[in-house]
Amino acid sequence: MDATLLTQYALAGLVIGAIYCLMAVGITFIYSVMRMINWAMGEFYMIGGYVQYLLIADWLGPDRWYLALPLAIAGVGALGMVVQRVLLRPMFAGGIERLDEYATIVTISLTVLFRNLAVVIFGPYQFSPRDYAPPVQLGPLPVNGSRFVAFLGAAALLGLFAWVVRRTWFGLAIRSVAQNRVGALCAGIDLSRIDMLAFGIGVALAGAAGALLAPVFLVYPQSGALSTVKGFEIIVIGGLGSLGGSIVGGLLLGLVESLGSVLISPAFRDVYGFGLLVLILALRPTGLWGERAREA
Amino acid sequence: MLWVDGVVAGYHEGIDVLRGVTLRVEARRVTAVIGPNGAGKSTLLRVVFGLLAPRRGRVVFDGHDIQELPPDTRKRRGIGYVPQGTSTFPQMTVEETLRVGGWTIRHDRARLRDRIAHVYDLFPVLAQLRRVRAGVLSGGQLRMLAIAKELVVMPSLPLVDEPTAGLAPRIADDVYRLLERARELGIAVMLVDQNIAEAVALADHVCVMALGRVQRAGPRESVAADLRILVQEALIGTGG
Amino acid sequence: MRKWIVAAAVAVIATGAAGAGSGWGAAPPVVLGVLTPLSPPGDPAAGQLIVQGAQLGEAYINGVMGGVFGPKTSCPQPATPVRIAVEDDSGTPEKSVAGFRRLVTEEHAVGVFGAFHSSAMLAAAPLADELGVPYISTQASAADITAKHFAAVFRTHPVDPDRAAAWLGFIQAQNWHKIALLAENTDYGIGLAEATKSLIAQRKLAMTLDAVIFDRTSADLTPQLLKIKAEKPDIVLNVGVGTPAYLIIKQAHDIGLFPQTPMLASYDFPVRPEEYWKNLGPTGVWLAFISYFHPRMALTALGTWASVEYAKRFHSTAVYSNLNSFGDAVILAEAMNQACSRDPKRIIAQLERGRFDTWIGTGATFPRAAGVRWHQWSPPLVILQYTRPDETYDQAPILYPPAMKTGAFEPAH
């Protein structure tokens, strides 16, 4: 095997893996706080892409994509908070017995709603803003400028996210809610507010991935479908509820997909991820860092 | 200081767990709520803290109706809640847990620091464990931490639910000694307990509940004499 | 009171206008079913174009032909108008089956056309046989649609061997030998890869083919493209449909594979200029692609009528989807006229033995031929190339076939 080519594949895998991480971290974050799986994650990714595209195309211009990014991320976060407040809060207000089923039905309905809304509003076309930056030479690999920006952006956002969760009061509250809702309530933490913010932040991570990748993977109504699948693949690999697991799982998936393509055959690229997943499930059913057992 | 007036509440449509509960908790007194399983004691605490909305009736605290307020507001008003089972966080250190306990005063850094230091004075064991994750503490240490966490923001009325359930007797004793110190701290306690003898021994006022109603309430002396009969009646009542 | 008067007046005018405009007898209109993707996950943009074409067909049959069994036929029946009924198949097998059933049982359609996604059409094909209603593929390409020899299924769209013949002919003319083919894992992609491979073997061409199949849902094709780049092919054949087609171009560009190495796309998605140039910008220059239509191609009288009428109605240039859908509607009407029948089974029989005028040729037939040529009529193909940004396909030079050639392949510069 040609060493240069191998390095190229590994680099390409890491770049894409960093972006997978954003999705996975968003999913696992919402899960750990609200104990629900947000199946509409990919649609928030899709909306992030559209908002970014519209901001660049109609308002800020292609040179000021970096101004559009925070706006797109905040916009998706705000939408997430509205969704949480209007559709998901009733879950925790009592009166609904099967929380898991309720959350699943609501978020799956949202995927259908958002996809069809995107078709109605923007048409079935595919959009793509201009590349954020010219190609960058990363060692032996010419990396597309937008991909490089997306990689840096993903790394920065994950760093910021980790800092907020580990070092701030808000992060402390989030962690307490994730570990014991009643315990957090006893301390006087406003759970409905934390839930709303957590959902907003979780989907904003997906929106960020969508906005960062808008020039790379195109923006269209179904663009979120795959990212949801990848996100869940990583969650299973890394373990549901583990942020570290999401990050390692994302990078691992990117690497395995990329290296499998060159070492075995590129025809089955998406199968390698599932292979890894099955292997890990067989060896460690809770994922690499999954919760062993839930606290009573 | 707390007046529960004709409260009716339940978890499912048409099934009332509390069927018109009226009781008073006096300031600086320990009030023990006792009664058989299913009497509605824990449910009563949930209503007082705001985890369950009453269908009818009022909850008055320090002269204000509070039945509409969310739990975090009640917490700020001075009601604390130590639920049955765990209210601590397995992945957090003791220090972090106490900081969560001080959530409502987080903006006053100096005060928070003082309060946590004060709690460590009360519980020297916890001071030694401050960097240890709650997940590895023993059952007794966890219960102590759960109570300590509530004391960071000194509540004027902690609601304590079954503080010794599942603990070894010797450790249970320690917990009761701890509750006795409430009087030194000048706060009221509303204690729900299956462990009738210890609870009554500790209490100033006793309130006997059965089938969602208060059967008898009064100072310990007036209730203690025929306590055994009362409880038996209540048990037969639920059995039938 | 006033509202009543207005409503009554409107009703009278409406019925009067309908009666006056048509002048038809009492016979109920003949219904032509259009089953096409109008919502995701199908390609609704294609579905829209197909519906527009069908509307043109309805207008032509009723307006120019005077309905079916009209004055120019020798049929004994009174002239009867046609009406199109549209169903959305979302590009999915299950909705396609349900839509086909509804068109036939509720709308009483005597023929159905408009299919775009092969898997959707293949799902409904057995139903067409069962109900005995002719089903014409307007733009679904999979070989099985005709190769399975369904009694009621026809096609007016090029098949894999047509495409393979076109691009291999072009590659041979360029004197290229090393071909890389990147195909999505659908009936279409795998079928086209197979057809290309077998044609090279069959004609004993001095070419090597490296076919890489990818999952249609992957967004990142960089690893596959890096591998192709390492092998230094003379040309890359892009067999993606929709998003993957764009992703291949973009990502090949990112890693320096395209336009340094020529790329040829397997179908005509670059003819939608608003989408193509918006998505790719200057990256899209130098792409060669197969198209089923170019204004330089000589249209029949039918085709000319359709493209003029299209421009009038929709204020833009007709594309292949419009014209072929229009053509399918007219073929069904011609078959009814030739058979003097609106009975679907007799329409099927007439399609098999008749000759039909289309928008691009005369004398189209649907014989019971062998293999994929069963009930198949292929319109001509051309290969075009974009050589400057924002070019529209009617300005692009035709590279192939030699008979229509208006320019030579230009390498990137």
Side-chain angles (χ1 to χ4, degrees):
Chain A
M1 184 76 248
D2 181 356
T4 320
L5 199 58
L6 206 62
T7 324
Q8 286 190 349
Y9 281 83
L11 269 175
L14 283 180
V15 168
I16 208 74
I19 295 149
Y20 288 166
C21 291
L22 277 182
M23 290 300 294
V25 167
I27 293 172
T28 207
F29 180 61
I30 289 176
Y31 171 79
S32 27
V33 174
M34 297 174 69
R35 295 287 160 199
M36 58 160 277
I37 288 179
N38 175 17
W39 296 97
M41 209 62 180
E43 277 49 53
F44 288 99
Y45 167 98
M46 177 264 288
I47 293 168
Y50 271 109
V51 175
Q52 175 78 358
Y53 173 76
L54 290 179
L55 285 173
I56 291 175
D58 295 345
W59 192 37
L60 294 167
D63 297 331
R64 283 187 286 175
W65 54 268
Y66 50 88
L67 290 180
L69 270 180
L71 291 175
I73 296 171
V76 173
L79 174 69
M81 287 195 258
V82 171
V83 164
Q84 199 278 341
R85 176 126 203 167
V86 176
L87 295 173
L88 295 170
R89 184 176 290 186
M91 233 172 89
F92 299 101
I96 291 168
E97 289 190 14
R98 295 168 182 269
L99 293 188
D100 291 349
E101 284 91 335
Y102 179 84
T104 302
I105 291 166
V106 167
T107 55
I108 288 183
S109 312
L110 277 178
T111 66
V112 178
L113 174 75
F114 283 145
R115 279 187 205 183
N116 284 291
L117 271 182
V119 175
V120 171
I121 299 172
F122 305 107
Y125 310 106
Q126 359 212 355
F127 300 95
S128 169
R130 215 186 300 150
D131 272 327
Y132 294 149
V136 181
Q137 196 71 28
L138 264 189
L141 177 70
V143 175
N144 161 264
S146 305
R147 247 175 228 251
F148 190 63
V149 167
F151 175 75
L152 294 183
L157 282 171
L158 288 172
L160 178 70
F161 178 81
W163 178 80
V164 168
V165 169
R166 300 240 69 94
R167 295 268 169 257
T168 64
W169 270 108
F170 174 67
L172 188 69
I174 290 273
R175 281 187 288 144
S176 73
V177 175
Q179 291 174 37
N180 187 338
R181 290 182 74 85
V182 176
L185 200 58
C186 294
I189 291 172
D190 182 351
L191 288 194
S192 57
R193 217 179 117 214
I194 295 289
D195 283 344
M196 188 172 84
L197 288 168
F199 194 82
I201 290 174
V203 302
L205 290 173
L212 284 166
L213 291 177
V216 180
F217 291 152
L218 309 184
V219 180
Y220 54 102
Q222 297 90 288
S223 62
L226 185 74
S227 52
T228 310
V229 175
K230 296 281 182 202
F232 284 114
E233 236 173 89
I234 296 162
I235 297 293
V236 178
I237 292 170
L240 189 56
S242 161
L243 294 177
S246 300
I247 291 175
V248 175
L251 294 175
L252 206 57
L253 182 66
L255 272 180
V256 165
E257 282 187 355
S258 188
L259 291 178
S261 305
V262 64
L263 296 178
I264 311 171
S265 154
F268 309 106
R269 179 166 192 274
D270 290 281
V271 176
Y272 303 129
F274 282 108
L276 176 68
L277 191 148
V278 170
L279 189 71
I280 285 178
L281 279 183
L283 297 177
R284 287 180 67 97
T286 53
L288 292 178
W289 281 271
E291 299 174 355
R292 244 4 96 63
R294 194 70 44 76
E295 283 290 309
Chain B
M1 94 183 299
L2 176 75
W3 178 37
V4 176
D5 179 19
V7 160
V8 176
Y11 303 95
H12 301 281
E13 200 76 27
I15 305 172
D16 293 334
V17 179
L18 302 182
R19 302 192 265 176
V21 171
T22 299
L23 92 124
R24 278 175 191 282
V25 174
E26 302 296 336
R28 291 184 294 283
R29 295 283 184 274
V30 175
T31 301
V33 180
I34 57 175
N37 265 334
K41 304 174 307 251
S42 295
T43 305
L44 176 61
L45 293 192
R46 293 173 68 86
V47 169
V48 174
F49 193 61
L51 300 178
L52 180 67
R55 296 198 176 114
R56 276 203 303 280
R58 299 163 66 199
V59 179
V60 181
F61 182 67
D62 282 344
H64 299 282
D65 272 20
I66 59 165
Q67 68 266 13
E68 304 289 329
L69 299 177
D72 53 294
T73 313
R74 298 190 201 200
K75 171 84 180 180
R76 277 170 227 274
R77 300 262 176 108
I79 301 181
Y81 178 49
V82 185
Q84 194 176 349
T86 155
S87 62
T88 52
F89 314 104
Q91 307 291 320
M92 281 192 198
T93 61
V94 167
E95 174 88 13
E96 284 178 316
T97 308
L98 296 181
R99 288 168 70 82
V100 172
W103 173 256
T104 52
I105 56 166
R106 65 190 181 281
H107 298 301
D108 187 347
R109 285 183 186 199
R111 182 165 162 228
L112 178 66
R113 207 164 37 236
D114 288 352
R115 291 298 315 165
I116 289 180
H118 178 68
V119 168
Y120 281 137
D121 287 346
L122 285 175
F123 305 91
V125 186
L126 292 182
Q128 287 161 17
L129 297 170
R130 60 202 301 165
R131 302 260 165 261
V132 175
R133 282 180 195 278
V136 302
L137 298 184
S138 70
Q141 288 168 332
L142 267 186
R143 210 58 59 92
M144 195 185 285
L145 179 59
I147 294 170
K149 169 182 158 239
E150 291 315 303
L151 294 181
V152 175
V153 179
M154 181 63 78
S156 47
L157 173 63
L159 313 170
V160 184
D161 196 358
E162 303 281 4
T164 60
L167 293 187
R170 209 166 44 78
I171 300 166
D173 275 351
D174 290 346
V175 173
Y176 287 118
R177 298 294 81 73
L178 189 66
L179 288 173
E180 272 177 358
R181 292 165 72 177
R183 282 194 205 80
E184 297 167 27
L185 299 167
I187 61 178
V189 172
M190 187 169 171
L191 170 69
V192 160
D193 212 326
Q194 298 270 32
N195 217 336
I196 294 168
E198 275 82 353
V200 172
L202 185 73
D204 302 298
H205 283 262
V206 176
C207 168
V208 183
M209 276 184 78
L211 296 172
R213 288 199 179 83
V214 174
Q215 302 291 333
R216 177 93 180 258
R220 178 178 52 185
E221 304 73 36
S222 71
V223 182
D226 35 32
L227 192 65
R228 171 166 285 179
I229 302 157
L230 273 169
V231 172
Q232 264 170 6
E233 274 173 11
L235 279 171
I236 292 160
T238 47
Chain C
M1 193 62 193
R2 238 170 115 152
K3 270 189 193 157
W4 275 106
I5 295 171
V6 173
V10 168
V12 167
I13 292 165
T15 45
S22 61
W24 310 106
V30 170
V31 176
L32 303 179
V34 181
L35 183 57
T36 201
L38 294 170
S39 63
D43 181 349
Q48 289 293 351
L49 297 173
I50 287 169
V51 170
Q52 290 173 345
Q55 288 166 344
L56 285 183
E58 183 190 68
Y60 182 82
I61 297 164
N62 292 340
V64 181
M65 294 169 68
V68 289
F69 321 129
K72 286 166 223 158
T73 65
S74 51
C75 298
Q77 301 100 319
T80 309
V82 299
R83 173 170 74 78
I84 60 162
V86 180
E87 276 289 332
D88 175 15
D89 68 18
S90 296
T92 60
E94 63 279 9
K95 286 199 73 179
S96 173
V97 170
F100 195 93
R101 198 178 283 283
R102 204 170 305 130
L103 283 172
V104 173
T105 57
E106 288 175 26
E107 300 280 359
H108 305 290
V110 300
V112 178
F113 60 98
F116 184 79
H117 296 282
S118 294
S119 42
M121 173 143 193
L122 276 170
L127 190 60
D129 273 15
E130 185 191 317
L131 299 171
V133 173
Y135 187 14
I136 305 180
S137 165
T138 301
Q139 224 175 327
S141 313
D144 275 354
I145 289 172
T146 48
K148 284 201 165 173
H149 296 199
F150 292 104
V153 173
F154 300 81
R155 171 156 51 198
T156 58
H157 185 63
V159 284
D160 300 336
D162 300 329
R163 268 176 236 270
W167 65 24
L168 289 178
F170 170 69
I171 290 168
Q172 204 175 11
Q174 294 295 320
N175 202 21
W176 288 333
H177 302 285
K178 200 167 177 187
I179 309 170
L181 183 149
L182 189 54
E184 58 178 41
N185 60 346
T186 54
D187 290 344
Y188 172 74
I190 292 167
L192 191 47
E194 292 299 323
T196 306
K197 198 182 293 172
S198 60
L199 200 62
I200 291 176
Q202 193 192 322
R203 294 192 182 167
K204 301 191 175 63
L205 299 173
M207 297 175 187
T208 58
L209 177 71
D210 177 27
V212 175
I213 311 289
F214 64 91
D215 189 288
R216 188 181 149 69
T217 53
S218 331
D220 188 20
L221 301 168
T222 312
Q224 289 92 329
L225 289 163
L226 279 171
K227 186 157 190 170
I228 288 175
K229 188 186 174 198
E231 279 156 21
K232 302 193 173 62
D234 295 323
I235 183 166
V236 179
L237 300 178
N238 172 343
V239 192
V241 175
T243 313
Y246 283 109
L247 291 176
I248 291 172
I249 301 170
K250 262 182 159 275
Q251 294 172 13
H253 188 269
D254 291 342
I255 62 160
L257 173 63
F258 173 75
Q260 291 86 336
T261 303
M263 185 183 286
L264 172 55
S266 69
Y267 78 108
D268 66 344
F269 65 94
V271 305
R272 304 177 196 162
E274 17 7 287
E275 189 176 273
Y276 185 80
W277 294 112
K278 223 183 218 174
N279 282 337
L280 295 174
T283 305
V285 183
W286 311 116
L287 183 81
F289 57 97
I290 285 183
S291 174
Y292 318 108
F293 177 56
H294 187 278
R296 288 247 184 172
M297 292 161 87
L299 297 179
T300 60
L302 258 180
T304 310
W305 184 91
S307 60
V308 169
E309 186 68 17
Y310 186 86
K312 241 191 271 173
R313 280 193 186 209
F314 301 107
H315 309 289
S316 83
T317 313
V319 295
Y320 171 77
S321 299
N322 305 130
L323 295 169
N324 217 38
S325 166
F326 164 80
D328 289 346
V330 174
I331 286 171
L332 283 170
E334 288 177 62
M336 281 186 264
N337 282 346
Q338 290 171 15
C340 286
S341 173
R342 56 193 289 179
D343 173 13
K345 296 203 173 56
R346 300 196 50 190
I347 299 174
I348 292 172
Q350 189 59 43
L351 283 170
E352 285 183 343
R353 65 172 171 255
R355 298 175 73 81
F356 305 93
D357 288 345
T358 74
W359 58 278
I360 190 72
T362 53
T365 57
F366 301 93
R368 295 187 166 210
V372 73
R373 298 287 165 194
W374 168 274
H375 286 183
Q376 165 72 30
W377 180 76
S378 300
L381 288 178
V382 289
I383 294 176
L384 311 178
Q385 187 190 17
Y386 282 144
T387 53
R388 56 197 159 77
D390 298 318
E391 198 169 15
T392 54
Y393 81 103
D394 48 335
Q395 303 162 340
I398 301 178
L399 312 183
Y400 189 87
M404 290 189 229
K405 193 166 169 177
T406 61
F409 176 80
E410 258 187 82
H413 51 74

